[in-house]
Amino acid sequence: MSETRAAKALHTRIARERERLGELDTALIDLIRTRAEAAHELEELRRRAGGPRTDLTGENAMLRGYHGALGRRGASIALLLLELGRSEGVAGGR
């Protein structure tokens, strides 16, 4: 394969991977919004039942799960998800 042909093949592969990442980002955004909506619903149900808005035991379990699966950065992601799941956490939502 000539250098030009190899370079074109590499650029084509790069473009495909960029497209794939864009699709994954779109899917992640949808999942994050769906999770935030579910968290808001759970918060509202707890409030209506006279309970606390948050479940610290559940939040800590979630943090441990993300940390266990993804390490320190996983815990950071979990904290962001918890923040987004609290009242008015998702801007530009549905």
Side-chain angles (χ1 to χ4, degrees), residues 8-33:
K8 285 180 183 180
L10 187 57
H11 287 294
T12 299
R13 187 167 176 203
I14 289 169
R16 275 197 312 259
E17 288 302 311
R18 282 186 183 145
E19 184 177 335
R20 179 174 171 233
L21 284 176
E23 291 168 358
L24 289 168
D25 287 336
T26 298
L28 284 170
I29 289 166
D30 288 343
L31 286 170
I32 290 167
R33 284 186 174 148

Side-chain angles (χ1 to χ4, degrees), residues 69-88:
L70 303 170
R72 181 180 54 83
R73 291 188 175 145
S76 296
I77 291 168
L79 288 170
L80 290 170
L81 291 172
L82 289 171
E83 183 180 341
L84 288 168
R86 294 198 171 98
S87 293
E88 302 177 21

Side-chain angles (χ1 to χ4, degrees), residues 13-71:
R13 187 167 176 203
I14 289 169
R16 275 197 312 259
E17 288 302 311
R18 282 186 183 145
E19 184 177 335
R20 179 174 171 233
L21 284 176
E23 291 168 358
L24 289 168
D25 287 336
T26 298
L28 284 170
I29 289 166
D30 288 343
L31 286 170
I32 290 167
R33 284 186 174 148
T34 299
R35 188 193 187 287
E37 290 167 2
H40 291 164
E41 179 67 21
L42 183 58
E43 183 180 286
E44 177 61 19
L45 290 170
R46 277 198 212 102
R47 187 190 62 74
R48 287 179 18 210
R53 281 184 19 208
T54 58
D55 170 17
L56 297 179
T57 301
E59 289 186 0
N60 283 325
M62 182 245 197
L63 281 165
R64 283 191 305 276
Y66 273 75
H67 183 270
L70 303 170

